[in-house]
């Protein structure tokens, strides 16, 4: 008896062998195991013979489902449907890839049937991903990427500061550098450098002005960089009195010397002296900014007075030492130096910054981060837009989803279909977005190369910048694309998979859909409008700033004025008198050109920052220490004011009699007169340049001139004065013109004729006087103004694009939701009109729904706009972050655009035929 029961409870072995032979092992374990568990129960209920037939039927069904999965879904017992589908999807060889490919093919076919959805969604993704990738590429290449050195985070830049005197940024003096280096223990070592200018001549080529640095011997070891060709400086070459040597940048070597492999050991003429080339630095190396050459820094401390001279200093932190610990140590060193040298070191401390903080600057980095935030907001708008479109389109696929669910498709299967569509849209948009990002990065790179960004140490792009859509930005784009596809497809997929099949099929039988306009749809629209409002506020402020910039230069003449820069260097022009003689010869040579009306020389052009100088008013007792007032100062020739069409407010201008040896005179601007003389007459009052210890004589004020933007376009400190160029020779090195003691002047020429004619003739005239003098920065005065405010236009264009794209996407999103709302309420609206509702009432009801969403979005967006604009305050010109005119204009534009987007579907609702709508119901 036991034996018979055991026989009857054993499944047919042949059937088991067929399952084992024809099914994959994973599928066999699941199906055969389930059949084996249930077989004894079937035997007890129906007997052994019926159980065997049942087992053979289940075996055949399972084998058929191997080759015809549709057969298994329709005929296989319910308890095996999900199990078999799940088993074959997860375990059958290649099925995961096959299913994915199948879903993607189906998604492509589905999107082909809805081209409008595909085009709008791809466009939204492309704009959102493209702008975000652009902003990320820029900020990664300029800020996040950092210096291209080993353990670059250990490199720290030093300055001095004297906060009690209000001086937050001072150069390091040579004696302080020596004492810091001797007493500190937090750094491997400290190195010094000073930026310099050189004139490269010879080789039958035009003279060329080069920026470079004189640098200490330990610097390259701290940077851990080696030359591409040749060697570095030796310790002997950094001592005074040794032969002159130079390291060339890779770019200069390639451009000027044709990448000559035998350049090492060759003599070139720098500042009219032979200098031996000892090496060529690696490609794209330009420490600290974008230098073209490096020469040894030769410090003779015996010939330098303590408190004079200027250096830049940097060091590399020792392993395990933090910046805070180093700051603490240097505070102690500063106190010791203050006690030892109270005359020069009272209140002086060291300021430690990373190179990004020093050379990139918080303002520039903050603006870029704000750009990235704005781009991400645009991306969020695009995701919300596509999500709403997919939600709306899902109503048209309700019946399809119901049928799929009824025949056994699980939630994850339905979700995968919707996510496949979102993935295709996101990937397509991401591909186009990469093209947008490359174009945006290229445009920003060109703006940086043109010197339009106004960095803390000048307009040049920094040598370590790499503004490209490279590997890291591409990985970022990939991550963004995946995230946008997941976000945009998740809500429609979940909604479709959670739908009630019975309700959907009932709804479908009536010709309607259970997919109604939900709170999620409305919330997404409100979010789109809010973000668009915030971005448009920032765009409006930037537009107004750019418009305000158009007023710059209107208080002096700029038409037909060409400017050029000359920087004499070398032993021939080492003396101030020699330089002044050269400037006079250049002026006379240019004045002799036909068609030239006026020629003026000046140390700084209008609307560009002039140098600063301390001064003392006669009869005024300065406060303790070196607390002398500082003002902008410029040296000009007598023709300066006439060339720019400026008339004196009071007194007289300079004349040819205001030369060296005559009474020293000066002209102050209106801001100077108002601040220091109030209602008194400034004429014939006296002042002295140079501050404490100055050896200058007293200068008499002979005139008052209008303010000519001596502090640059911001003009936050417009107080300034002018003195004659011929009287600019000074025994005080702090009063020399130009950069770091290298004298140079700008020449402004008013002339008729074409620009090409003027440029050629001016260059020829300069080279007749000084054949080895390079002619640089030749441009129209209008171009000078344009470059000085270029960063406003750079940032303005980006934020204007962000706002415009957000407005476009929000309008589409609002229109799409309103159109969906009207289509889903067809029966309701038809019934209302059949019961007597007028078209105006239907129009008002439909418009009211969109207007409420619009109002909510605008209110929230105004707060977002205020927050964004406060972060951008430094990049605004002549406009406050809370400018009411901009906010009202943005609200008007959004309300007008939003109501227009709502009106079209609302008007369509008024044209519904009640009879057709009720028949449809």
């Amino acid at each position: 008896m036991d034996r018979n029961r055991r026989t009857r409870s054993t499944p047919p072995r042949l059937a088991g062998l067929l399952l084992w032979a024809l099914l994959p092992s994973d599928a066999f374990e699941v199906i055969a195991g389930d059949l084996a568990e249930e077989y004894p129960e079937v035997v007890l209920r129906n007997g052994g013979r019926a159980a065997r037939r049942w087992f053979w039927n289940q075996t055949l069904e399972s084998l058929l489902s191997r080759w015809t999965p549709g057969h298994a879904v329709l005929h296989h017992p319910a308890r095996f449907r999900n199990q078999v589908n799940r088993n074959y999807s997860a375990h059958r060889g290649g099925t995961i890839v096959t299913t994915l490919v199948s879903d993607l093919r189906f998604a492509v076919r589905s999107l082909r049937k809805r081209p409008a959805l595909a085009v709008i969604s791809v466009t939204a993704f492309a704009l959102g991903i493209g702008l975000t990738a652009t902003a990320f590429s820029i900020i990664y290449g300029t800020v996040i990427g950092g210096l291209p050195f080993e353990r670059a985070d250990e490199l720290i830049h030093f300055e001095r500061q004297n906060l009690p005197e209000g001086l937050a940024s001072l150069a390091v003096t040579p004696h302080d550098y020596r004492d810091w280096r001797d007493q500190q223990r937090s750094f491997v070592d400290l190195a010094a450098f000073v930026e310099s200018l050189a004139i490269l001549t010879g080789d039958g080529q035009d003279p060329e002005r080069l920026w470079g640095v004189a640098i200490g011997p330990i610097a390259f070891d701290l940077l851990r960089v080696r030359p591409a060709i040749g060697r570095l400086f030796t310790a002997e070459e950094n001592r005074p009195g040794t032969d002159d040597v130079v390291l060339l940048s890779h770019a200069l070597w390639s451009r000027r010397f044709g990448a000559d492999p035998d350049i090492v050991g060759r003599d070139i003429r720098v500042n009219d002296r032979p200098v031996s080339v000892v090496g060529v630095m690696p490609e794209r190396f330009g420490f600290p900014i974008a230098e073209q050459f490096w020469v040894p820094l030769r410090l003779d401390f015996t010939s330098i007075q303590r408190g004079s001279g200027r250096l830049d200093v940097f060091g590399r932190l020792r392993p395990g030492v933090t910046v805070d610990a180093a700051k603490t140590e240097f505070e102690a060193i500063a106190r010791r130096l203050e006690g030892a040298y109270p005359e020069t070191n009272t209140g002086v401390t060291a300021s430690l910054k990373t190179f990004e903080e020093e050379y990139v600057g918080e303002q520039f980095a903050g603006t870029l981060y704000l750009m990235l935030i704005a781009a991400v907001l645009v991306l969020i708008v695009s995701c919300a837009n596509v999500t709403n479109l997919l939600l709306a389109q899902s109503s048209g696929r309700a019946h399809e989803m119901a049928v799929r669910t009824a025949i056994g498709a699980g939630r994850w299967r339905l979700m995968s279909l919707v996510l496949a569509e979102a993935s295709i849209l996101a990937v397509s948009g991401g591909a186009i977005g990469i093209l947008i990002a490359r174009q945006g990065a290229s445009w920003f790179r060109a703006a940086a190369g043109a010197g339009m960004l106004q960095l803390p140490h000048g307009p040049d792009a920094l040598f370590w910048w790499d503004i490209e859509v490279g590997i890291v930005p591409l990985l970022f784009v990939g991550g963004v694309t995946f995230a946008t596809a997941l976000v945009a497809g998740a809500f429609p997929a979940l909604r479709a998979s959670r739908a009630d099949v019975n309700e959907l099929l009932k709804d479908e039988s009536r010709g309607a859909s259970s997919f109604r306009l939900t709170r999620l749809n409305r919330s997404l629209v409100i979010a789109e409008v809010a973000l668009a409002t915030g971005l448009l506020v920032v765009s409006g402020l930037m537009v107004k700033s750019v418009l305000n910039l158009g007023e710059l230069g209107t208080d002096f003449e700029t038409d037909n004025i060409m400017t050029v820069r000359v920087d004499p260097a070398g032993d021939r022009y080492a003396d101030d008198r020699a330089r002044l003689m050269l400037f006079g010869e250049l002026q006379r040579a240019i004045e002799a050109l036909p068609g030239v009306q006026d020629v003026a020389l000046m140390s700084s052009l209008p609307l560009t920052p002039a140098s600063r100088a301390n001064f003392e008013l006669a009869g005024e007792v300065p406060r303790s220490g070196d607390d002398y007032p500082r003002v902008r100062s410029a040296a000009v020739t007598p023709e300066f004011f006439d060339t720019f069409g400026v008339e004196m407010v009071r007194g007289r201008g300079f004349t040819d009699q205001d030369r060296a040896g005559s009474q020293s005179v000066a002209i102050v601007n209106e801001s100077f007169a108002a601040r220091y003389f109030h209602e008194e007459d400034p004429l014939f009052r006296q002042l002295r340049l140079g501050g404490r210890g100055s050896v200058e004589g007293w200068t008499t004020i002979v005139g008052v001139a209008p303010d000519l933007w001596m502090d640059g376009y911001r003009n936050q400190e417009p107080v300034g004065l002018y003195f004659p160029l011929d009287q600019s020779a000074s025994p005080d090195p702090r009063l020399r013109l130009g950069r770091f003691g290298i004298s140079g002047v700008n020449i402004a020429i008013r002339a008729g004729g074409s620009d090409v004619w003027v440029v050629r003739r001016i260059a020829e005239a300069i080279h007749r006087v000084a054949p080895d003098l390079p002619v640089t920065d030749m441009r129209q005065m209008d171009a000078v103004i344009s470059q000085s405010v270029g960063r406003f236009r750079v940032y303005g264009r980006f934020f204007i694009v962000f706002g415009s794209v957000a407005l476009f996407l929000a309008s589409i999103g609002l229109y799409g939701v309103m159109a969906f709302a009207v289509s889903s309420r067809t029966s309701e609206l038809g019934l209302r009109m059949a019961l007597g509702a007028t078209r105006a009432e239907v129009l008002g009801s439909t418009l009211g729904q969109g207007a409420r969403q619009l109002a909510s979005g605008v209110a929230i967006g105004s707060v977002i706009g205020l927050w964004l604009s406060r972060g951008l305050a430094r990049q605004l010109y002549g406009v406050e972050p809370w400018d009411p005119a901009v906010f009202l204009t943005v609200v008007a534009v959004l309300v007008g655009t939003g109501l227009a987007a709502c009106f079209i579907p609302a008007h369509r609702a008024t044209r519904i035929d009640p009879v057709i709508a009720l028949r449809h119901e």
Side-chain angles (χ1 to χ4, degrees):
M1 185 67 177
D2 293 338
R3 184 175 181 274
N4 292 336
R5 283 185 179 179
R6 192 165 50 250
T7 302
R8 288 198 302 269
S9 62
T10 302
R13 293 187 177 181
L14 180 58
L17 288 173
L18 288 175
L19 289 172
W20 177 80
L22 299 178
L23 291 179
S25 59
D26 294 330
F28 169 77
E29 291 177 3
V30 174
I31 294 177
D34 287 346
L35 291 176
E37 288 179 6
E38 191 169 349
Y39 183 77
E41 298 179 5
V42 178
V43 170
L44 292 176
R45 288 196 308 267
N46 304 316
R49 186 172 297 177
R52 284 176 171 275
R53 287 196 302 269
W54 172 86
F55 193 95
W56 273 105
N57 287 336
Q58 299 305 314
T59 299
L60 294 175
E61 292 287 350
S62 298
L63 294 175
L64 285 173
S65 67
R66 159 79 170 165
W67 307 107
T68 57
H71 177 273
V73 172
L74 292 175
H75 301 289
H76 209 278
R79 75 180 188 86
F80 286 108
R81 287 177 187 166
N82 293 335
Q83 181 65 50
V84 171
N85 287 339
R86 184 166 59 249
N87 177 72
Y88 282 132
S89 297
H91 300 289
R92 187 157 54 95
T95 303
I96 295 177
V97 176
T98 304
T99 302
L100 177 61
V101 172
S102 175
D103 289 348
L104 293 175
R105 287 177 178 175
F106 180 82
V108 171
R109 291 195 301 268
S110 178
L111 291 173
R112 284 179 180 175
K113 298 176 182 178
R114 296 170 288 164
L117 169 69
V119 171
I120 294 174
S121 300
V122 170
T123 302
F125 276 140
L127 293 172
I129 294 174
L131 294 179
T132 304
T134 299
F136 180 80
S137 298
I138 292 171
I139 199 170
Y140 181 82
T142 57
V143 178
I144 300 175
L147 290 166
F149 300 128
E150 179 184 344
R151 302 184 66 86
D153 58 313
E154 296 177 348
L155 296 173
I156 302 298
H157 183 273
F158 287 81
E159 285 184 341
R160 295 189 312 155
Q161 58 185 10
N162 192 334
L163 298 181
E165 300 291 345
L167 304 175
S169 178
L170 294 171
V172 180
T173 63
H175 287 84
D176 279 353
Y177 161 62
R178 182 182 62 182
D179 293 337
W180 288 356
R181 188 180 182 192
D182 292 341
Q183 298 183 34
Q184 66 84 26
R185 297 294 179 269
S186 297
F187 291 82
V188 175
D189 207 338
L190 302 183
F193 62 90
V194 57
E195 296 184 19
S196 186
L197 176 69
I199 307 300
L200 180 62
T201 57
D203 300 316
Q205 302 185 54
D206 292 335
E208 184 176 355
R209 182 183 69 178
L210 304 175
W211 288 109
V213 295
I215 194 165
I218 194 64
F220 297 112
D221 291 334
L222 293 180
L223 295 174
R224 298 177 182 174
V225 64
R226 307 298 300 174
I229 299 177
R231 62 173 176 83
L232 298 174
F233 304 134
T234 64
E236 182 68 25
E237 289 168 339
N238 280 86
R239 293 172 183 164
T242 56
D243 294 336
D244 293 331
V245 292
V246 65
L247 283 164
L248 302 179
S249 72
H250 196 281
L252 177 63
W253 171 62
S254 301
R255 173 177 51 79
R256 179 88 182 193
F257 301 101
D260 182 6
D262 299 323
I263 190 69
V264 176
R266 175 178 166 184
D267 284 348
I268 61 176
R269 296 198 69 80
V270 178
N271 291 340
D272 205 26
R273 299 176 62 182
V275 179
S276 177
V277 178
V278 297
V280 176
M281 297 305 291
E283 191 172 1
R284 295 187 62 241
F285 176 85
F287 181 87
I289 298 178
E291 315 307 330
Q292 297 167 288
F293 71 90
W294 297 263
V295 295
L297 175 63
R298 294 164 177 170
L299 296 176
D300 184 2
F301 293 98
T302 60
S303 63
I304 302 175
Q305 183 180 1
R306 188 172 191 96
S308 64
R310 54 177 300 147
L311 298 172
D312 278 281
V313 175
F314 76 97
R316 178 179 287 274
L317 285 168
R318 293 183 185 275
V321 178
T322 65
V323 177
D324 290 337
K327 289 181 179 179
T328 301
E329 181 189 33
F330 273 80
E331 288 174 0
I333 295 175
R335 288 193 295 270
R336 290 197 295 269
L337 294 179
E338 183 176 1
Y341 309 102
E343 301 84 2
T344 58
N345 288 75
T346 299
V348 174
T349 58
S351 172
L352 282 66
K353 299 179 182 178
T354 65
F355 271 85
E356 288 81 3
E357 291 172 336
E358 175 64 24
Y359 287 95
V360 175
E362 294 181 2
Q363 180 177 336
F364 177 78
T367 302
L368 294 189
Y369 277 113
L370 194 60
M371 280 176 51
L372 181 60
I373 291 173
V376 171
L377 294 181
V378 174
L379 180 62
I380 293 173
V381 172
S382 68
C383 285
N385 190 288
V386 176
T387 300
N388 250 337
L389 291 175
L390 291 176
L391 284 171
Q393 288 292 330
S394 64
S395 64
R397 302 179 62 186
H399 182 63
E400 172 197 339
M401 296 298 181
V403 171
R404 287 179 176 274
T405 303
I407 64 175
R411 173 175 295 180
W412 290 107
R413 193 73 183 88
L414 297 179
M415 291 180 65
S416 67
L417 293 174
V418 180
L419 287 173
E421 291 187 11
S423 299
I424 290 176
L425 296 173
V427 170
S428 301
I432 301 174
I434 290 176
L435 301 179
I436 295 175
R438 288 188 172 179
Q439 185 62 36
S442 174
W443 184 80
F444 191 89
R445 185 171 58 251
M452 300 178 70
L453 299 182
Q454 299 299 317
L455 298 171
H457 287 260
D460 295 332
L462 301 172
F463 77 93
W464 68 81
W465 282 7
D466 186 16
I467 309 173
E468 297 283 353
V469 186
I471 298 299
V472 175
L474 284 176
L475 292 175
F476 175 80
V477 171
V480 167
T481 301
F482 174 78
T484 51
L486 186 62
V487 172
F491 290 111
L494 286 172
R495 186 173 176 183
S497 66
R498 290 177 178 176
D500 190 301
V501 177
N502 294 327
E503 288 296 324
L504 285 172
L505 294 178
K506 290 178 183 178
D507 243 8
E508 189 64 30
S509 68
R510 295 195 303 265
S513 172
S514 290
F515 283 78
R516 304 296 184 187
L517 191 64
T518 65
R519 183 178 300 176
L520 175 61
N521 297 87
R522 298 188 184 95
S523 299
L524 289 173
V525 170
I526 292 174
E528 288 186 63
V529 174
L531 295 178
T533 303
L535 292 171
L536 278 176
V537 166
V538 175
S539 300
L541 293 172
M542 295 300 296
V543 168
K544 190 169 183 178
S545 295
V546 173
L547 293 176
N548 291 339
L549 291 171
E551 301 177 3
L552 291 178
T554 57
D555 45 0
F556 59 89
E557 295 182 11
T558 60
D559 294 340
N560 300 319
I561 295 180
M562 181 72 69
T563 68
V564 64
R565 175 84 183 178
V566 292
D567 290 280
D571 295 339
R572 186 187 311 177
Y573 305 112
D575 181 72
D576 286 345
R577 293 296 177 188
R579 288 194 295 273
L580 291 176
M581 289 180 60
L582 171 66
F583 296 153
E585 293 178 12
L586 293 176
Q587 183 174 7
R588 290 187 291 272
I590 297 174
E591 286 176 337
L593 295 175
V596 172
Q597 301 168 7
D598 294 295
V599 179
L601 279 65
M602 65 220 70
S603 58
S604 60
L605 293 165
L607 263 171
T608 61
S611 60
R612 294 179 181 271
N614 295 98
F615 77 97
E616 175 187 1
L617 281 176
E620 299 285 341
V621 179
R623 288 175 288 176
S624 61
D626 286 330
D627 193 17
Y628 282 77
R630 287 171 62 86
V631 294
R632 298 287 182 180
S633 62
V636 301
T637 57
E639 299 80 11
F640 172 78
F641 296 104
D642 290 337
T643 300
F644 290 101
V646 176
E647 297 183 357
M648 290 295 103
V649 177
R650 302 182 66 180
R652 68 172 177 87
F654 298 134
T655 67
D656 292 337
Q657 283 68 44
D658 297 321
R659 294 187 173 276
S662 63
Q663 171 63 41
S664 179
V665 296
I667 294 174
V668 299
N669 62 13
E670 290 181 285
S671 293
F672 188 105
R675 174 175 296 185
Y676 294 106
F677 297 106
H678 306 292
E679 300 298 330
E680 299 179 13
D681 188 356
L683 297 181
F684 307 113
R685 294 288 299 272
Q686 290 189 319
L687 56 84
R688 179 168 60 186
L689 295 177
R692 179 175 295 277
S694 174
V695 295
E696 290 291 307
W698 291 98
T699 297
T700 302
I701 299 172
V702 297
V704 179
D707 291 348
L708 293 182
W709 309 84
M710 296 186 73
D711 193 34
Y713 58 87
R714 286 289 190 187
N715 217 31
Q716 294 175 336
E717 298 178 10
V719 176
L721 57 87
Y722 302 90
F723 52 93
L725 183 64
D726 282 343
Q727 295 182 354
S728 64
S730 170
D732 190 340
R734 292 173 293 182
L735 301 181
R736 289 183 177 179
L737 308 178
R739 188 180 184 188
F740 306 113
I742 303 296
S743 298
V745 294
N746 299 281
I747 306 176
I749 306 104
R750 183 190 297 276
S754 66
D755 293 345
V756 176
W757 181 89
V758 173
V759 169
R760 185 174 65 250
R761 291 296 181 90
I762 292 174
E764 292 173 354
I766 292 175
H767 286 152
R768 281 198 298 269
V769 175
D772 293 338
L773 188 64
V775 179
T776 59
D777 299 336
M778 186 171 287
R779 49 192 173 160
Q780 290 282 356
M781 187 63 200
D782 290 333
V784 174
I785 298 174
S786 178
Q787 183 179 15
S788 67
V789 298
R791 64 182 180 133
F792 290 99
R793 294 189 171 93
V794 172
Y795 301 137
R797 289 177 184 176
F798 274 101
F799 282 102
I800 288 170
V801 169
F802 294 154
S804 301
V805 169
L807 176 62
F808 167 73
L809 295 176
S811 300
I812 291 179
L814 191 59
Y815 171 82
V817 169
M818 289 302 301
F820 171 60
V822 170
S823 64
S824 64
R825 296 176 59 196
T826 299
S827 301
E828 173 198 339
L829 295 175
L831 180 60
R832 291 179 60 185
M833 295 179 70
L835 294 175
T838 64
R839 294 181 182 274
E841 291 174 339
V842 172
L843 180 64
S845 173
T846 309
L847 272 178
Q849 180 180 344
R852 286 191 293 273
Q853 300 173 59
L854 191 61
S856 300
V858 170
I860 299 172
S862 298
V863 177
I864 296 175
L866 182 60
W867 175 73
L868 289 173
S869 59
R870 288 175 66 87
L872 200 65
R874 292 183 178 179
Q875 304 302 339
L876 300 178
Y877 181 81
V879 57
E880 297 295 338
W882 51 84
D883 188 279
V886 172
F887 275 81
L888 291 175
T889 302
V890 168
V891 170
V893 169
L894 269 168
V895 169
T897 305
L899 290 179
C902 295
F903 178 79
I904 298 174
H907 180 67
R908 188 182 302 157
T910 64
R911 302 175 65 182
I912 295 175
D913 190 328
V915 175
I916 296 177
L918 293 175
R919 185 183 304 159
H920 183 67
E921 177 66 21

